[in-house]
mmCIF file of all heavy atoms in Angstrom:
data_model
loop_
_atom_site.group_PDB
_atom_site.id
_atom_site.type_symbol
_atom_site.label_atom_id
_atom_site.label_comp_id
_atom_site.label_asym_id
_atom_site.label_seq_id
_atom_site.Cartn_x
_atom_site.Cartn_y
_atom_site.Cartn_z
ATOM 1 N N GLY Z 100 -1.618 -6.936 -5.461
ATOM 2 C CA GLY Z 100 -2.000 -5.906 -6.415
ATOM 3 C C GLY Z 100 -3.112 -5.024 -5.891
ATOM 4 O O GLY Z 100 -3.116 -3.804 -6.131
ATOM 5 N N LEU Z 154 0.404 -15.562 -13.325
ATOM 6 C CA LEU Z 154 0.176 -16.760 -14.133
ATOM 7 C C LEU Z 154 1.141 -16.849 -15.299
ATOM 8 O O LEU Z 154 1.404 -17.942 -15.811
ATOM 9 C CB LEU Z 154 -1.269 -16.775 -14.639
ATOM 10 C CG LEU Z 154 -2.352 -16.979 -13.576
ATOM 11 C CD1 LEU Z 154 -3.729 -16.785 -14.183
ATOM 12 C CD2 LEU Z 154 -2.242 -18.365 -12.934
ATOM 13 N N PRO Z 231 27.118 -9.645 -13.234
ATOM 14 C CA PRO Z 231 26.741 -8.218 -13.265
ATOM 15 C C PRO Z 231 26.448 -7.701 -14.662
ATOM 16 O O PRO Z 231 25.523 -6.906 -14.839
ATOM 17 C CB PRO Z 231 27.969 -7.530 -12.654
ATOM 18 C CG PRO Z 231 28.580 -8.568 -11.771
ATOM 19 C CD PRO Z 231 28.352 -9.884 -12.457
ATOM 20 N N LEU Z 290 -25.237 35.984 -15.231
ATOM 21 C CA LEU Z 290 -25.135 36.236 -16.666
ATOM 22 C C LEU Z 290 -24.544 37.619 -16.938
ATOM 23 O O LEU Z 290 -23.710 37.783 -17.844
ATOM 24 C CB LEU Z 290 -26.500 36.109 -17.327
ATOM 25 C CG LEU Z 290 -26.515 36.275 -18.858
ATOM 26 C CD1 LEU Z 290 -25.549 35.294 -19.527
ATOM 27 C CD2 LEU Z 290 -27.911 36.095 -19.417
ATOM 28 N N PHE Z 388 -23.049 8.714 -10.502
ATOM 29 C CA PHE Z 388 -23.231 9.344 -9.191
ATOM 30 C C PHE Z 388 -23.074 10.865 -9.236
ATOM 31 O O PHE Z 388 -23.419 11.539 -8.279
ATOM 32 C CB PHE Z 388 -22.273 8.762 -8.142
ATOM 33 C CG PHE Z 388 -22.459 7.292 -7.925
ATOM 34 C CD1 PHE Z 388 -21.614 6.374 -8.530
ATOM 35 C CD2 PHE Z 388 -23.499 6.823 -7.146
ATOM 36 C CE1 PHE Z 388 -21.800 5.007 -8.348
ATOM 37 C CE2 PHE Z 388 -23.699 5.459 -6.954
ATOM 38 C CZ PHE Z 388 -22.840 4.545 -7.556
ATOM 39 N N LEU Z 403 -31.461 8.642 -2.111
ATOM 40 C CA LEU Z 403 -30.153 9.062 -2.614
ATOM 41 C C LEU Z 403 -30.323 9.993 -3.805
ATOM 42 O O LEU Z 403 -31.311 9.922 -4.541
ATOM 43 C CB LEU Z 403 -29.331 7.838 -3.018
ATOM 44 C CG LEU Z 403 -28.928 6.891 -1.887
ATOM 45 C CD1 LEU Z 403 -28.119 5.727 -2.437
ATOM 46 C CD2 LEU Z 403 -28.132 7.618 -0.809
ATOM 47 N N THR Z 493 -13.262 27.116 -13.254
ATOM 48 C CA THR Z 493 -12.223 27.625 -12.363
ATOM 49 C C THR Z 493 -10.820 27.305 -12.865
ATOM 50 O O THR Z 493 -9.846 27.564 -12.177
ATOM 51 C CB THR Z 493 -12.391 27.018 -10.955
ATOM 52 O OG1 THR Z 493 -12.411 25.588 -11.052
ATOM 53 C CG2 THR Z 493 -13.680 27.494 -10.312
ATOM 54 N N ASP Z 500 -1.687 23.113 -28.810
ATOM 55 C CA ASP Z 500 -1.513 22.757 -30.223
ATOM 56 C C ASP Z 500 -1.537 21.241 -30.393
ATOM 57 O O ASP Z 500 -1.578 20.497 -29.396
ATOM 58 C CB ASP Z 500 -0.256 23.426 -30.804
ATOM 59 C CG ASP Z 500 1.050 22.709 -30.455
ATOM 60 O OD1 ASP Z 500 1.038 21.625 -29.821
ATOM 61 O OD2 ASP Z 500 2.114 23.247 -30.811
ATOM 62 N N ASN Z 510 -4.450 29.985 -15.106
ATOM 63 C CA ASN Z 510 -4.151 29.124 -13.978
ATOM 64 C C ASN Z 510 -5.413 28.711 -13.229
ATOM 65 O O ASN Z 510 -6.456 29.368 -13.317
ATOM 66 C CB ASN Z 510 -3.201 29.837 -13.015
ATOM 67 C CG ASN Z 510 -1.842 30.081 -13.622
ATOM 68 O OD1 ASN Z 510 -1.353 29.268 -14.408
ATOM 69 N ND2 ASN Z 510 -1.217 31.201 -13.289
#
Side-chain angles (χ1 to χ4, degrees):
L154 292 172
L290 183 55
F388 300 100
L403 294 180
T493 55
D500 80 4
N510 294 326

